[in-house]
PDB file of all heavy atoms in Angstrom:
ATOM      1  N   TRP A 211      60.997  10.098 -39.280  1.00 92.00           N
ATOM      2  CA  TRP A 211      62.367   9.968 -39.790  1.00 92.00           C
ATOM      3  C   TRP A 211      63.281  11.061 -39.270  1.00 92.00           C
ATOM      4  O   TRP A 211      64.469  10.820 -39.015  1.00 92.00           O
ATOM      5  CB  TRP A 211      62.361   9.949 -41.311  1.00 92.00           C
ATOM      6  CG  TRP A 211      62.076   8.582 -41.854  1.00 92.00           C
ATOM      7  CD1 TRP A 211      60.921   8.138 -42.436  1.00 92.00           C
ATOM      8  CD2 TRP A 211      62.952   7.457 -41.825  1.00 92.00           C
ATOM      9  NE1 TRP A 211      61.038   6.804 -42.771  1.00 92.00           N
ATOM     10  CE2 TRP A 211      62.273   6.361 -42.419  1.00 92.00           C
ATOM     11  CE3 TRP A 211      64.257   7.265 -41.360  1.00 92.00           C
ATOM     12  CZ2 TRP A 211      62.848   5.101 -42.554  1.00 92.00           C
ATOM     13  CZ3 TRP A 211      64.836   6.008 -41.496  1.00 92.00           C
ATOM     14  CH2 TRP A 211      64.136   4.947 -42.089  1.00 92.00           C
ATOM     15  N   GLY A 212      62.736  12.266 -39.086  1.00 93.00           N
ATOM     16  CA  GLY A 212      63.550  13.347 -38.546  1.00 93.00           C
ATOM     17  C   GLY A 212      64.040  13.051 -37.138  1.00 93.00           C
ATOM     18  O   GLY A 212      65.229  13.193 -36.828  1.00 93.00           O
ATOM     19  N   THR A 213      63.139  12.584 -36.283  1.00 94.00           N
ATOM     20  CA  THR A 213      63.500  12.280 -34.889  1.00 94.00           C
ATOM     21  C   THR A 213      64.315  10.993 -34.768  1.00 94.00           C
ATOM     22  O   THR A 213      65.038  10.803 -33.781  1.00 94.00           O
ATOM     23  CB  THR A 213      62.233  12.154 -34.014  1.00 94.00           C
ATOM     24  OG1 THR A 213      61.333  11.215 -34.615  1.00 94.00           O
ATOM     25  CG2 THR A 213      61.528  13.490 -33.877  1.00 94.00           C
ATOM     26  N   ALA A 214      64.226  10.110 -35.754  1.00 94.00           N
ATOM     27  CA  ALA A 214      64.954   8.832 -35.701  1.00 94.00           C
ATOM     28  C   ALA A 214      66.393   8.958 -36.197  1.00 94.00           C
ATOM     29  O   ALA A 214      67.163   8.000 -36.107  1.00 94.00           O
ATOM     30  CB  ALA A 214      64.220   7.779 -36.529  1.00 94.00           C
ATOM     31  N   THR A 215      66.772  10.133 -36.721  1.00 94.00           N
ATOM     32  CA  THR A 215      68.079  10.296 -37.366  1.00 94.00           C
ATOM     33  C   THR A 215      69.281   9.899 -36.503  1.00 94.00           C
ATOM     34  O   THR A 215      70.166   9.196 -36.995  1.00 94.00           O
ATOM     35  CB  THR A 215      68.245  11.742 -37.883  1.00 94.00           C
ATOM     36  OG1 THR A 215      67.240  11.993 -38.876  1.00 94.00           O
ATOM     37  CG2 THR A 215      69.611  11.957 -38.506  1.00 94.00           C
ATOM     38  N   PRO A 216      69.386  10.312 -35.221  1.00 95.00           N
ATOM     39  CA  PRO A 216      70.570   9.934 -34.439  1.00 95.00           C
ATOM     40  C   PRO A 216      70.829   8.421 -34.401  1.00 95.00           C
ATOM     41  O   PRO A 216      71.959   7.965 -34.652  1.00 95.00           O
ATOM     42  CB  PRO A 216      70.258  10.483 -33.037  1.00 95.00           C
ATOM     43  CG  PRO A 216      69.374  11.660 -33.303  1.00 95.00           C
ATOM     44  CD  PRO A 216      68.516  11.243 -34.460  1.00 95.00           C
ATOM     45  N   MET A 217      69.801   7.615 -34.127  1.00 95.00           N
ATOM     46  CA  MET A 217      70.005   6.163 -34.095  1.00 95.00           C
ATOM     47  C   MET A 217      70.122   5.587 -35.500  1.00 95.00           C
ATOM     48  O   MET A 217      70.740   4.538 -35.701  1.00 95.00           O
ATOM     49  CB  MET A 217      68.867   5.472 -33.336  1.00 95.00           C
ATOM     50  CG  MET A 217      68.903   5.685 -31.841  1.00 95.00           C
ATOM     51  SD  MET A 217      70.543   5.502 -31.058  1.00 95.00           S
ATOM     52  CE  MET A 217      70.973   3.835 -31.489  1.00 95.00           C
ATOM     53  N   ASP A 218      69.575   6.285 -36.485  1.00 93.00           N
ATOM     54  CA  ASP A 218      69.717   5.858 -37.877  1.00 93.00           C
ATOM     55  C   ASP A 218      71.172   6.010 -38.323  1.00 93.00           C
ATOM     56  O   ASP A 218      71.687   5.179 -39.079  1.00 93.00           O
ATOM     57  CB  ASP A 218      68.786   6.689 -38.768  1.00 93.00           C
ATOM     58  CG  ASP A 218      68.675   6.128 -40.176  1.00 93.00           C
ATOM     59  OD1 ASP A 218      68.472   4.898 -40.306  1.00 93.00           O
ATOM     60  OD2 ASP A 218      68.778   6.898 -41.146  1.00 93.00           O
ATOM     61  N   VAL A 219      71.834   7.063 -37.856  1.00 94.00           N
ATOM     62  CA  VAL A 219      73.259   7.268 -38.154  1.00 94.00           C
ATOM     63  C   VAL A 219      74.076   6.111 -37.584  1.00 94.00           C
ATOM     64  O   VAL A 219      74.930   5.531 -38.264  1.00 94.00           O
ATOM     65  CB  VAL A 219      73.764   8.610 -37.568  1.00 94.00           C
ATOM     66  CG1 VAL A 219      75.282   8.714 -37.657  1.00 94.00           C
ATOM     67  CG2 VAL A 219      73.117   9.787 -38.291  1.00 94.00           C
ATOM     68  N   VAL A 220      73.802   5.762 -36.322  1.00 94.00           N
ATOM     69  CA  VAL A 220      74.533   4.672 -35.664  1.00 94.00           C
ATOM     70  C   VAL A 220      74.299   3.351 -36.394  1.00 94.00           C
ATOM     71  O   VAL A 220      75.230   2.585 -36.659  1.00 94.00           O
ATOM     72  CB  VAL A 220      74.110   4.555 -34.176  1.00 94.00           C
ATOM     73  CG1 VAL A 220      74.778   3.359 -33.511  1.00 94.00           C
ATOM     74  CG2 VAL A 220      74.450   5.840 -33.421  1.00 94.00           C
ATOM     75  N   LYS A 221      73.035   3.090 -36.760  1.00 94.00           N
ATOM     76  CA  LYS A 221      72.708   1.848 -37.480  1.00 94.00           C
ATOM     77  C   LYS A 221      73.419   1.789 -38.829  1.00 94.00           C
ATOM     78  O   LYS A 221      73.991   0.758 -39.200  1.00 94.00           O
ATOM     79  CB  LYS A 221      71.197   1.758 -37.683  1.00 94.00           C
ATOM     80  CG  LYS A 221      70.751   0.468 -38.365  1.00 94.00           C
ATOM     81  CD  LYS A 221      69.325   0.561 -38.862  1.00 94.00           C
ATOM     82  CE  LYS A 221      69.227   1.382 -40.113  1.00 94.00           C
ATOM     83  NZ  LYS A 221      69.806   0.729 -41.309  1.00 94.00           N
ATOM     84  N   SER A 222      73.399   2.892 -39.562  1.00 91.00           N
ATOM     85  CA  SER A 222      74.049   2.941 -40.878  1.00 91.00           C
ATOM     86  C   SER A 222      75.545   2.672 -40.758  1.00 91.00           C
ATOM     87  O   SER A 222      76.125   1.933 -41.552  1.00 91.00           O
ATOM     88  CB  SER A 222      73.820   4.306 -41.551  1.00 91.00           C
ATOM     89  OG  SER A 222      72.464   4.484 -41.870  1.00 91.00           O
ATOM     90  N   ARG A 223      76.170   3.277 -39.752  1.00 92.00           N
ATOM     91  CA  ARG A 223      77.612   3.103 -39.569  1.00 92.00           C
ATOM     92  C   ARG A 223      77.962   1.660 -39.182  1.00 92.00           C
ATOM     93  O   ARG A 223      78.944   1.110 -39.665  1.00 92.00           O
ATOM     94  CB  ARG A 223      78.125   4.073 -38.508  1.00 92.00           C
ATOM     95  CG  ARG A 223      78.095   5.508 -39.001  1.00 92.00           C
ATOM     96  CD  ARG A 223      78.781   6.483 -38.069  1.00 92.00           C
ATOM     97  NE  ARG A 223      79.137   7.660 -38.844  1.00 92.00           N
ATOM     98  CZ  ARG A 223      80.182   8.437 -38.585  1.00 92.00           C
ATOM     99  NH1 ARG A 223      80.973   8.163 -37.576  1.00 92.00           N
ATOM    100  NH2 ARG A 223      80.438   9.483 -39.347  1.00 92.00           N
ATOM    101  N   LEU A 224      77.156   1.086 -38.316  1.00 93.00           N
ATOM    102  CA  LEU A 224      77.396  -0.304 -37.910  1.00 93.00           C
ATOM    103  C   LEU A 224      77.240  -1.268 -39.087  1.00 93.00           C
ATOM    104  O   LEU A 224      78.023  -2.204 -39.239  1.00 93.00           O
ATOM    105  CB  LEU A 224      76.427  -0.702 -36.794  1.00 93.00           C
ATOM    106  CG  LEU A 224      76.777  -0.251 -35.379  1.00 93.00           C
ATOM    107  CD1 LEU A 224      75.589  -0.463 -34.451  1.00 93.00           C
ATOM    108  CD2 LEU A 224      77.989  -1.017 -34.846  1.00 93.00           C
ATOM    109  N   GLN A 225      76.228  -1.038 -39.913  1.00 91.00           N
ATOM    110  CA  GLN A 225      75.961  -1.957 -41.015  1.00 91.00           C
ATOM    111  C   GLN A 225      76.902  -1.741 -42.198  1.00 91.00           C
ATOM    112  O   GLN A 225      77.199  -2.688 -42.929  1.00 91.00           O
ATOM    113  CB  GLN A 225      74.496  -1.837 -41.444  1.00 91.00           C
ATOM    114  CG  GLN A 225      73.538  -2.348 -40.369  1.00 91.00           C
ATOM    115  CD  GLN A 225      72.098  -2.389 -40.805  1.00 91.00           C
ATOM    116  OE1 GLN A 225      71.640  -1.526 -41.544  1.00 91.00           O
ATOM    117  NE2 GLN A 225      71.366  -3.380 -40.354  1.00 91.00           N
ATOM    118  N   ALA A 226      77.369  -0.510 -42.386  1.00 88.00           N
ATOM    119  CA  ALA A 226      78.358  -0.250 -43.444  1.00 88.00           C
ATOM    120  C   ALA A 226      79.726  -0.763 -43.014  1.00 88.00           C
ATOM    121  O   ALA A 226      80.557  -1.141 -43.858  1.00 88.00           O
ATOM    122  CB  ALA A 226      78.427   1.245 -43.736  1.00 88.00           C
ATOM    123  N   ASP A 227      79.962  -0.804 -41.720  1.00 85.00           N
ATOM    124  CA  ASP A 227      81.208  -1.298 -41.157  1.00 85.00           C
ATOM    125  C   ASP A 227      81.366  -2.782 -41.490  1.00 85.00           C
ATOM    126  O   ASP A 227      80.454  -3.571 -41.271  1.00 85.00           O
ATOM    127  CB  ASP A 227      81.159  -1.113 -39.634  1.00 85.00           C
ATOM    128  CG  ASP A 227      82.500  -1.343 -38.979  1.00 85.00           C
ATOM    129  OD1 ASP A 227      83.516  -0.971 -39.571  1.00 85.00           O
ATOM    130  OD2 ASP A 227      82.521  -1.893 -37.870  1.00 85.00           O
ATOM    131  N   GLY A 228      82.489  -3.172 -42.034  1.00 75.00           N
ATOM    132  CA  GLY A 228      82.692  -4.578 -42.347  1.00 75.00           C
ATOM    133  C   GLY A 228      82.876  -4.848 -43.826  1.00 75.00           C
ATOM    134  O   GLY A 228      83.247  -5.953 -44.226  1.00 75.00           O
ATOM    135  N   VAL A 229      82.638  -3.830 -44.666  1.00 73.00           N
ATOM    136  CA  VAL A 229      82.893  -4.020 -46.094  1.00 73.00           C
ATOM    137  C   VAL A 229      84.390  -4.239 -46.304  1.00 73.00           C
ATOM    138  O   VAL A 229      84.807  -5.137 -47.032  1.00 73.00           O
ATOM    139  CB  VAL A 229      82.412  -2.799 -46.926  1.00 73.00           C
ATOM    140  CG1 VAL A 229      82.766  -2.969 -48.394  1.00 73.00           C
ATOM    141  CG2 VAL A 229      80.908  -2.622 -46.775  1.00 73.00           C
ATOM    142  N   TYR A 230      85.231  -3.417 -45.638  1.00 70.00           N
ATOM    143  CA  TYR A 230      86.680  -3.569 -45.742  1.00 70.00           C
ATOM    144  C   TYR A 230      87.324  -3.998 -44.425  1.00 70.00           C
ATOM    145  O   TYR A 230      88.239  -4.795 -44.402  1.00 70.00           O
ATOM    146  CB  TYR A 230      87.306  -2.249 -46.212  1.00 70.00           C
ATOM    147  CG  TYR A 230      86.737  -1.786 -47.534  1.00 70.00           C
ATOM    148  CD1 TYR A 230      85.988  -0.622 -47.623  1.00 70.00           C
ATOM    149  CD2 TYR A 230      86.927  -2.546 -48.682  1.00 70.00           C
ATOM    150  CE1 TYR A 230      85.449  -0.205 -48.829  1.00 70.00           C
ATOM    151  CE2 TYR A 230      86.378  -2.136 -49.893  1.00 70.00           C
ATOM    152  CZ  TYR A 230      85.646  -0.971 -49.961  1.00 70.00           C
ATOM    153  OH  TYR A 230      85.115  -0.569 -51.158  1.00 70.00           O
ATOM    154  N   LEU A 231      86.840  -3.460 -43.331  1.00 72.00           N
ATOM    155  CA  LEU A 231      87.335  -3.851 -42.013  1.00 72.00           C
ATOM    156  C   LEU A 231      86.239  -3.601 -40.990  1.00 72.00           C
ATOM    157  O   LEU A 231      85.267  -2.917 -41.270  1.00 72.00           O
ATOM    158  CB  LEU A 231      88.611  -3.070 -41.633  1.00 72.00           C
ATOM    159  CG  LEU A 231      88.552  -1.531 -41.617  1.00 72.00           C
ATOM    160  CD1 LEU A 231      87.955  -1.021 -40.323  1.00 72.00           C
ATOM    161  CD2 LEU A 231      89.928  -0.962 -41.827  1.00 72.00           C
ATOM    162  N   THR A 232      86.396  -4.182 -39.811  1.00 80.00           N
ATOM    163  CA  THR A 232      85.415  -3.983 -38.743  1.00 80.00           C
ATOM    164  C   THR A 232      85.982  -2.995 -37.739  1.00 80.00           C
ATOM    165  O   THR A 232      86.973  -3.274 -37.073  1.00 80.00           O
ATOM    166  CB  THR A 232      85.077  -5.321 -38.059  1.00 80.00           C
ATOM    167  OG1 THR A 232      84.581  -6.220 -39.052  1.00 80.00           O
ATOM    168  CG2 THR A 232      84.017  -5.122 -36.992  1.00 80.00           C
ATOM    169  N   LYS A 233      85.348  -1.841 -37.643  1.00 87.00           N
ATOM    170  CA  LYS A 233      85.838  -0.752 -36.799  1.00 87.00           C
ATOM    171  C   LYS A 233      85.112  -0.685 -35.462  1.00 87.00           C
ATOM    172  O   LYS A 233      85.692  -0.325 -34.445  1.00 87.00           O
ATOM    173  CB  LYS A 233      85.663   0.556 -37.564  1.00 87.00           C
ATOM    174  CG  LYS A 233      86.180   1.799 -36.855  1.00 87.00           C
ATOM    175  CD  LYS A 233      85.941   3.026 -37.720  1.00 87.00           C
ATOM    176  CE  LYS A 233      86.390   4.303 -37.022  1.00 87.00           C
ATOM    177  NZ  LYS A 233      86.103   5.509 -37.826  1.00 87.00           N
ATOM    178  N   TYR A 234      83.807  -1.033 -35.454  1.00 90.00           N
ATOM    179  CA  TYR A 234      82.989  -0.890 -34.248  1.00 90.00           C
ATOM    180  C   TYR A 234      82.658  -2.251 -33.633  1.00 90.00           C
ATOM    181  O   TYR A 234      82.325  -3.193 -34.334  1.00 90.00           O
ATOM    182  CB  TYR A 234      81.682  -0.159 -34.584  1.00 90.00           C
ATOM    183  CG  TYR A 234      81.878   1.161 -35.290  1.00 90.00           C
ATOM    184  CD1 TYR A 234      81.409   1.340 -36.593  1.00 90.00           C
ATOM    185  CD2 TYR A 234      82.522   2.220 -34.665  1.00 90.00           C
ATOM    186  CE1 TYR A 234      81.580   2.551 -37.259  1.00 90.00           C
ATOM    187  CE2 TYR A 234      82.704   3.438 -35.330  1.00 90.00           C
ATOM    188  CZ  TYR A 234      82.231   3.594 -36.626  1.00 90.00           C
ATOM    189  OH  TYR A 234      82.404   4.784 -37.285  1.00 90.00           O
ATOM    190  N   LYS A 235      82.719  -2.307 -32.304  1.00 88.00           N
ATOM    191  CA  LYS A 235      82.411  -3.558 -31.594  1.00 88.00           C
ATOM    192  C   LYS A 235      80.916  -3.729 -31.343  1.00 88.00           C
ATOM    193  O   LYS A 235      80.440  -4.832 -31.116  1.00 88.00           O
ATOM    194  CB  LYS A 235      83.152  -3.579 -30.256  1.00 88.00           C
ATOM    195  CG  LYS A 235      84.674  -3.609 -30.399  1.00 88.00           C
ATOM    196  CD  LYS A 235      85.345  -3.478 -29.050  1.00 88.00           C
ATOM    197  CE  LYS A 235      86.863  -3.368 -29.204  1.00 88.00           C
ATOM    198  NZ  LYS A 235      87.520  -3.092 -27.908  1.00 88.00           N
ATOM    199  N   GLY A 236      80.179  -2.639 -31.339  1.00 90.00           N
ATOM    200  CA  GLY A 236      78.743  -2.707 -31.075  1.00 90.00           C
ATOM    201  C   GLY A 236      78.135  -1.324 -31.079  1.00 90.00           C
ATOM    202  O   GLY A 236      78.804  -0.329 -31.410  1.00 90.00           O
ATOM    203  N   THR A 237      76.868  -1.242 -30.674  1.00 93.00           N
ATOM    204  CA  THR A 237      76.134   0.028 -30.720  1.00 93.00           C
ATOM    205  C   THR A 237      76.782   1.107 -29.851  1.00 93.00           C
ATOM    206  O   THR A 237      77.031   2.223 -30.306  1.00 93.00           O
ATOM    207  CB  THR A 237      74.673  -0.193 -30.264  1.00 93.00           C
ATOM    208  OG1 THR A 237      74.069  -1.183 -31.102  1.00 93.00           O
ATOM    209  CG2 THR A 237      73.864   1.095 -30.360  1.00 93.00           C
ATOM    210  N   LEU A 238      77.081   0.779 -28.595  1.00 95.00           N
ATOM    211  CA  LEU A 238      77.662   1.764 -27.682  1.00 95.00           C
ATOM    212  C   LEU A 238      79.041   2.203 -28.149  1.00 95.00           C
ATOM    213  O   LEU A 238      79.374   3.392 -28.103  1.00 95.00           O
ATOM    214  CB  LEU A 238      77.741   1.174 -26.266  1.00 95.00           C
ATOM    215  CG  LEU A 238      78.259   2.118 -25.171  1.00 95.00           C
ATOM    216  CD1 LEU A 238      77.351   3.353 -25.057  1.00 95.00           C
ATOM    217  CD2 LEU A 238      78.338   1.388 -23.829  1.00 95.00           C
TER     218      LEU A 238
END
Side-chain angles (χ1 to χ4, degrees):
W211 277 106
T213 53
T215 298
M217 288 315 301
D218 191 47
V219 170
V220 176
K221 183 194 76 71
S222 293
R223 290 189 158 210
L224 280 168
Q225 292 186 324
D227 191 37
V229 176
Y230 303 114
L231 57 82
T232 302
K233 183 180 178 183
Y234 307 116
K235 295 174 186 174
T237 303
L238 183 60

